[in-house]
Amino acid sequence: MTNIDDIVINFDDSNLLVLNIILAFLMFGVALDIKVQDFKQLFRAPKIPLIGLFSEYIFLPLLTLALIMIIKPHASIALGMVLVSVCPGGSVSNFMVHLSKGNAALSVLLTSFTTASAIILTPIAFAFWAGMNPITSELLQTLNVDPEKIVKTVIFLIFIPVTIGMFLNHKYPNLTEKIKRPIANISMLIFLGFVTVALVNNYSKMQDYLHVVFLIVLVHNGLALFGGYQIPRLFKLSKKNARAISIETGIQNSGLGLVLALQVFNGLGGMVLI
């Protein structure tokens, strides 16, 4: 069996373009929930959201590095874990927080901030945390990754659709309220359908390696959810706030990570599978 670091998940240019457009549309749907007052709230009462941001931007990457040191995965898997840990909050998290009877407003605020700031924070955080571990640092040097390419990809996938979505929300709130839920549902279904087709097209590689990453992802996400709950409880936050921070910490925008893995890292096997 080929080393997982040497396999490539095949996406031709046309498929990659379609995936970019789908994810940009997905991010546009997320932005329809983002309001300027969300950010004003962060500055008016910063303690609770700052604990949430600490959990996402400090605790999760540190947890990821610790896991990498303990389980010693293949280099490409380790790099995928780091990439997921620095991606912004996932669009599903707000819905999950609502189902869990957590603080939905806090969830929206955290998703809004991490999504809007991802254009700067994701490339910087990825370079920093990946450089902290010898396994991922060495692979990054071997791949000769162009940071400018990461920034350009994030601009297309996040900055442009989020700006348009926020503008629409600000200018036409009534229209936004009517279309945001259908757009979110449709874009998620299209994205999941596309990924399913991609899995089928690369089935032979998937069946050999999927079991390798399944347990790693399970442990990684499980500990993120657990730690994301315990940190706010240590700071005496309510269970409602702790649930929101837990889910925001445990659910990241893996769609963005997938596109970066395919576009910037040329479909590096372990990264795509993670």
Side-chain angles (χ1 to χ4, degrees):
M1 190 166 65
T2 312
N3 188 315
I4 195 169
D5 292 338
D6 297 325
I7 70 166
V8 173
I9 305 300
N10 295 316
F11 268 61
D12 59 35
D13 289 343
S14 59
N15 282 339
L16 196 52
L17 176 62
V18 171
L19 181 57
N20 274 270
I21 293 169
I22 291 171
L23 189 62
F25 185 59
L26 192 66
M27 295 315 301
F28 168 73
V30 172
L32 292 176
D33 252 336
I34 300 177
K35 297 180 176 68
V36 175
Q37 51 261 43
D38 291 339
F39 299 99
K40 291 179 182 175
Q41 183 186 336
L42 176 62
F43 294 104
R44 281 199 300 265
K47 179 188 173 183
I48 295 173
L50 282 177
I51 291 170
L53 293 174
F54 170 82
S55 183
E56 287 192 66
Y57 281 122
I58 305 297
F59 163 72
L60 182 57
L62 283 173
L63 168 69
T64 303
L65 292 185
L67 268 178
I68 290 169
M69 289 175 65
I70 293 167
I71 62 181
K72 295 180 172 56
H74 290 278
S76 63
I77 291 177
L79 203 59
M81 291 169 68
V82 173
L83 182 58
V84 167
S85 76
V86 299
C87 281
S91 56
V92 178
S93 60
N94 305 146
F95 178 65
M96 296 301 292
V97 170
H98 173 72
L99 284 182
S100 73
K101 295 182 171 57
N103 186 340
L106 174 61
S107 175
V108 170
L109 171 61
L110 291 173
T111 300
S112 302
F113 182 84
T114 56
T115 298
S117 61
I119 184 174
I120 296 170
L121 290 180
T122 294
I124 292 173
F126 177 70
F128 176 78
W129 293 110
M132 293 284 285
N133 184 277
I135 298 174
T136 51
S137 178
E138 186 179 338
L139 181 56
L140 272 183
Q141 291 171 14
T142 305
L143 293 169
N144 195 24
V145 175
D146 180 7
E148 188 178 332
K149 195 172 183 182
I150 298 179
V151 173
K152 285 179 179 176
T153 303
V154 175
I155 286 173
F156 176 78
L157 294 177
I158 291 185
F159 180 74
I160 294 173
V162 167
T163 301
I164 295 171
M166 286 184 67
F167 172 78
L168 197 65
N169 192 2
H170 177 69
K171 199 75 174 173
Y172 307 102
N174 293 333
L175 173 65
T176 301
E177 196 61 36
K178 290 176 184 176
I179 66 172
K180 66 179 182 180
R181 188 53 55 202
I183 284 179
N185 293 338
I186 291 167
S187 58
M188 182 60 71
L189 284 172
I190 294 171
F191 175 70
L192 290 173
F194 186 89
V195 171
T196 302
V197 171
L199 290 172
V200 171
N201 289 343
N202 290 275
Y203 178 71
S204 60
K205 293 170 184 173
M206 298 293 179
Q207 66 177 347
D208 288 337
Y209 298 100
L210 207 54
H211 68 281
V212 176
V213 299
F214 179 79
L215 186 59
I216 293 173
V217 170
L218 192 67
V219 171
H220 191 199
N221 283 58
L223 289 176
L225 288 164
F226 178 76
Y229 184 83
Q230 295 303 325
I231 287 170
R233 293 300 285 161
L234 285 173
F235 283 95
K236 311 296 183 186
L237 299 193
S238 68
K239 290 182 178 180
K240 197 173 180 179
N241 287 326
R243 287 192 198 111
I245 292 172
S246 168
I247 291 170
E248 286 296 320
T249 305
I251 299 180
Q252 305 308 115
N253 189 341
S254 298
L256 174 62
L258 178 62
V259 173
L260 289 172
L262 290 166
Q263 194 156 306
V264 179
F265 298 93
N266 302 315
L268 187 64
M271 290 189 80
V272 176
L273 287 169
I274 286 288

